[in-house]
Amino acid sequence: MLEFEDTESGKIHRFYVVDSHHHIGSDVDGHNNRNPVAPGGTFDFYVKVGGRLSQLFSDKPDIFRFSPHGFLNECVRNNEKWKDTLEGTWAVDQTVVFPFNDDFKWREGDEGNAIYWRSNDNISRWVTRAPYSLRLIGFGRVVPTEGKLAINELHRMVETLGLRGLKVHPRSDGWSSIIVSPEVKNILVEAAKLNVPVLFDTRGFGQVMDIYEVTNMARSELQSMDKALVTNLKVIMAHIGFHLGHNELFTVLSHPNIYGDISGVHDAGVPRLFEEAKELLQPNLGRYRNWSEKILFGTDYNYFDVPHAVQFISYVLSKNFPGTPEDAQRILGSNVLKLVPPFKRETKTTFTKVHVPIDLAELTERALAKQVAVLVSNESYDISGIDFFIDPHPNYQVRPRDFKITISRRENNHQEDINLIVISVLDILTIARLDNNMMNSSPIKNRILRYDDAISRRSFYEKLWPKNLETNPQKMSDFIKSITQTR
Ligand SMILES: [Zn+2]
């Protein structure tokens, strides 16, 4: 998390940063990032980005620093190995990772499996093990023209592997000329049913228009199927900076289901992208939507390296950026988190909850972090995912206090997930173990905890509503032990 401390007022301004385009694996073109912890890997890259940003901001009156925040800090503090692995990497908080065109994606004898199934397994292995699971969000990859095989693989990667989005690459997988097709439309419809976003590589503006067209096909099918699914259609066009000069780009981005990632943009392209977005995109969106809701930060590491990432982040945080800190927070992280559902696999646990007054919140969170540390010191336990609920506020008030954590227990081939939510509403901190219904409710699925009267949210909050408060630390600690218990 990036922090700027105003030395006069002592006020701290925070930004939660998510890289929404990043590769793990080994491409047939020679690019690779096999091990995110190795020199030159993901975490090393962020150490360099952080170092360079510190240099750049060193002459500013505000003190600049980056560090893990709140509960995550507690978790990491309790584990020397994690602390070492993640030291200095906190300029970027979380990363969406997906396969390259991997040289290991498929082998002879794999007939009957989708082309990228080995790559998807590989991503899943990285993103569901701590400490990587604290930082990495996994997307899988399919080739839509495989038809039924691709659809089945999409289900497998979301429901069994715990991946949370799909990356497709028309050019590299040889289907550029058939983007507008029933197969691609079917993949978009199925992804919407699973509530996961689909990120398209884009080369040439013709592809942008084709993706726009197939998105519309999927949208009308969803509309006739079940209107509630329409908002689950989430298409991300990668590399929108490559298409500056085509003003239609901003018509495409004003589509309610389409977003753009900026990976690859650099130098004069950075200010130009924002000037044009503000000038050309905003009028298409009307009064209730904001141009900054449509743009996602991403690095495309390791096709692009430290200079691109640093140029972009530092521009968004500079005085030249034509938006507010709220706009900056959206672009740097909140937008992508809204599109990506929290980590979830089938779960069998029952709902239970406890409430404590807010002045005991820190103590309680520390107790939970300790208990998690104790659990994962046992080989059969792991953290499969941690997801924060970040709403950008005016006045920089980003406080990643609310989160969901998944603790998994593996024994033989059996696997059990415990999903805990930690959330503060009014002056009360609530810890709850979520069952399937709660996991599928809209506040969790869409990461919007903000209370309002929408029926879908009301029933969620009714379940979470406190009847009494626990103030006895011993009882609290007993409760924490009991909810992290598997069967
Ligand atoms: Zn890429």
Side-chain angles (χ1 to χ4, degrees):
M1 188 146 198
L2 304 180
E3 287 189 358
F4 294 88
E5 185 180 335
D6 183 327
T7 43
E8 267 171 38
S9 66
K11 206 174 158 191
I12 296 174
H13 308 151
R14 300 189 171 93
F15 295 93
Y16 189 88
V17 182
V18 183
D19 178 352
S20 52
H21 188 141
H22 197 103
H23 295 270
I24 286 183
S26 172
D27 203 286
V28 293
D29 71 7
H31 283 84
N32 70 71
N33 177 21
R34 284 178 183 276
N35 177 352
V37 197
T42 301
F43 293 117
D44 194 21
F45 167 62
Y46 294 136
V47 168
K48 290 176 192 150
V49 168
R52 190 76 195 96
L53 285 172
S54 297
Q55 269 175 356
L56 277 179
F57 291 127
S58 62
D59 59 344
K60 296 280 183 310
D62 289 356
I63 298 169
F64 171 76
R65 59 177 173 253
F66 48 88
S67 53
H69 44 80
F71 183 77
L72 211 45
N73 196 14
E74 286 299 330
C75 268
V76 174
R77 241 169 39 130
N78 280 300
N79 188 313
E80 281 304 315
K81 236 171 96 187
W82 298 357
K83 209 167 124 192
D84 282 352
T85 306
L86 302 176
E87 186 74 46
T89 64
W90 299 94
V92 171
D93 294 282
Q94 283 193 298
T95 305
V96 170
V97 295
F98 37 75
F100 287 96
N101 183 350
D102 290 315
D103 49 23
F104 58 80
K105 60 185 177 287
W106 198 87
R107 300 187 189 132
E108 234 167 279
D110 285 356
E111 286 77 9
N113 289 297
I115 289 179
Y116 278 95
W117 79 281
R118 285 179 190 274
S119 294
N120 296 339
D121 277 5
N122 180 53
I123 295 290
S124 174
R125 271 193 297 273
W126 280 111
V127 304
T128 58
R129 281 188 293 160
Y132 321 107
S133 55
L134 306 176
R135 309 291 295 279
L136 307 180
I137 297 168
F139 279 22
R141 182 160 167 169
V142 300
V143 179
T145 49
E146 284 201 298
K148 190 77 192 137
L149 271 186
I151 300 274
N152 291 346
E153 180 63 6
L154 175 59
H155 276 269
R156 186 184 78 98
M157 68 188 226
V158 174
E159 292 164 344
T160 312
L161 299 182
L163 303 185
R164 304 191 252 161
L166 177 66
K167 157 72 184 281
V168 293
H169 202 314
R171 186 186 53 102
S172 146
D173 288 322
W175 48 277
S176 298
S177 59
I178 39 172
I179 292 173
V180 184
S181 63
E183 287 81 6
V184 178
K185 182 260 302 163
N186 289 344
I187 280 286
L188 289 178
V189 167
E190 214 58 28
K193 288 190 206 159
L194 292 164
N195 188 34
V196 296
V198 181
L199 187 144
F200 283 81
D201 180 78
T202 63
R203 298 300 152 107
F205 196 66
Q207 284 196 356
V208 171
M209 294 313 289
D210 285 351
I211 298 163
Y212 181 65
E213 195 178 331
V214 77
T215 302
N216 276 326
M217 284 160 59
R219 185 180 164 92
S220 32
E221 184 163 319
L222 288 164
Q223 227 145 12
S224 60
M225 199 185 279
D226 175 1
K227 281 202 171 58
L229 288 175
V230 174
T231 51
N232 289 359
L233 176 63
K234 297 172 281 198
V235 171
I236 304 165
M237 305 239 190
H239 315 306
I240 51 171
F242 293 172
H243 309 295
L244 294 175
H246 296 272
N247 289 353
E248 269 176 297
L249 171 67
F250 297 101
T251 312
V252 170
L253 286 175
S254 67
H255 189 288
N257 302 102
I258 297 179
Y259 304 80
D261 95 39
I262 59 79
S263 57
V265 76
H266 59 98
D267 295 302
V270 181
R272 184 177 168 194
L273 172 70
F274 288 117
E275 279 150 27
E276 293 190 2
K278 220 181 153 175
E279 190 188 330
L280 301 172
L281 179 53
Q282 189 59 56
N284 297 336
L285 292 174
R287 195 197 266 232
Y288 299 106
R289 287 187 300 158
N290 191 302
W291 63 275
S292 65
E293 291 166 21
K294 293 296 202 165
I295 299 173
L296 278 53
F297 164 64
T299 64
D300 201 5
Y301 189 71
N302 55 22
Y303 287 96
F304 301 103
D305 215 317
V306 177
H308 281 54
V310 168
Q311 272 182 6
F312 188 84
I313 296 173
S314 60
Y315 183 82
V316 170
L317 298 176
S318 76
K319 293 218 156 42
N320 298 325
F321 174 65
T324 62
E326 200 181 345
D327 293 321
Q329 176 56 67
R330 284 200 191 106
I331 292 164
L332 291 178
S334 307
N335 288 342
V336 66
L337 292 185
K338 286 245 163 78
L339 302 180
V340 176
F343 181 86
K344 180 184 117 103
R345 292 180 292 217
E346 269 317 286
T347 158
K348 293 187 189 78
T349 50
T350 48
F351 178 75
T352 175
K353 60 173 180 172
V354 72
H355 309 278
V356 296
I358 205 76
D359 53 330
L360 293 179
E362 250 185 76
L363 192 78
T364 306
E365 286 187 8
R366 210 170 300 149
L368 179 62
K370 282 229 176 79
Q371 170 65 6
V372 170
V374 169
L375 281 177
V376 301
S377 65
N378 175 333
E379 287 249 309
S380 49
Y381 283 89
D382 212 332
I383 299 177
S384 298
I386 186 163
D387 290 293
F388 289 87
F389 296 79
I390 311 255
D391 247 330
H393 287 270
N395 318 325
Y396 300 99
Q397 288 308 316
V398 170
R399 281 172 308 176
R401 285 214 76 143
D402 304 325
F403 62 93
K404 192 224 87 202
I405 184 167
T406 304
I407 300 158
S408 307
R409 183 177 178 215
R410 288 185 193 110
E411 212 153 20
N412 305 322
N413 280 327
H414 177 75
Q415 181 167 262
E416 195 172 335
D417 286 344
I418 302 162
N419 296 295
L420 302 180
I421 187 175
V422 179
I423 157 178
S424 30
V425 184
L426 303 173
D427 285 335
I428 297 164
L429 177 90
T430 298
I431 301 185
R433 187 175 66 200
L434 304 177
D435 58 17
N436 261 328
N437 269 339
M438 293 290 272
M439 284 298 290
N440 290 327
S441 64
S442 93
I444 298 291
K445 262 178 25 188
N446 303 318
R447 290 206 212 203
I448 300 172
L449 290 179
R450 181 185 59 229
Y451 180 73
D452 61 32
D453 224 18
I455 289 172
S456 57
R457 277 199 266 284
R458 211 190 302 160
S459 69
F460 175 82
Y461 281 101
E462 268 164 15
K463 263 186 117 169
L464 278 188
W465 210 251
K467 291 207 177 68
N468 44 33
L469 296 183
E470 185 56 72
T471 52
N472 179 330
Q474 185 53 49
K475 283 196 175 148
M476 186 63 216
S477 146
D478 291 346
F479 175 80
I480 285 174
K481 280 189 190 125
S482 78
I483 53 168
T484 50
Q485 213 66 243
T486 53
R487 292 189 275 188

